[in-house]
Amino acid sequence: MEFERDKSFFTGRLKSMGFALKGAIKLATTEHSVMVQSSIAVLLVFAGFYFEISREEWMFQTLAIGLVLSVEGLNTAVEKVADFIHPEFHEKIGFIKDIAAGAVFFAAMTAIVIGCIIYIPKF
């Protein structure tokens, strides 16, 4: 089965953005970890306005939030593919899923360090 290519650059990009938005909505509305992380992100945005963080601090905070949510999305995709391929427990699938979760851990720890650097001096 061959996919039909969209011959127009503009409409092709619009379709791609539509698929990406659909995926982001699915991720944010079905995955509890993303719901929690998104809630924390909203709190941090409010904290940023409350503490009047600098432009540079906004950039780092935004980057950290995007990093965590992006890596969590990739982790979720890896888990869904692994569960589709091998629904029952398998040691190698578990190993792969643990590695993907480890990537989220690194992103989250980085975000926590950035948050501490930004907000601890404000207290």
Side-chain angles (χ1 to χ4, degrees), residues 69-88:
L69 292 174
S70 297
V71 175
E72 184 64 56
L74 292 173
N75 175 55
T76 299
V78 167
E79 288 182 353
K80 299 291 185 193
V81 169
D83 290 343
F84 178 76
I85 292 171
H86 208 291
E88 57 279 342

Side-chain angles (χ1 to χ4, degrees), residues 19-86:
F19 293 137
L21 180 60
K22 182 179 175 183
I25 290 169
K26 283 183 181 181
L27 188 63
T29 58
T30 62
E31 296 301 315
H32 293 288
S33 57
V34 174
M35 291 176 198
V36 169
Q37 292 161 348
S38 296
S39 299
I40 293 169
V42 169
L43 290 173
L44 286 170
V45 169
F46 283 121
F49 285 116
Y50 179 80
F51 288 107
E52 298 177 352
I53 63 176
S54 71
R55 179 184 183 106
E56 292 79 14
E57 290 168 331
W58 274 113
M59 289 190 303
F60 281 111
Q61 177 171 290
T62 302
L63 183 63
I65 290 168
L67 174 70
V68 171
L69 292 174
S70 297
V71 175
E72 184 64 56
L74 292 173
N75 175 55
T76 299
V78 167
E79 288 182 353
K80 299 291 185 193
V81 169
D83 290 343
F84 178 76
I85 292 171
H86 208 291

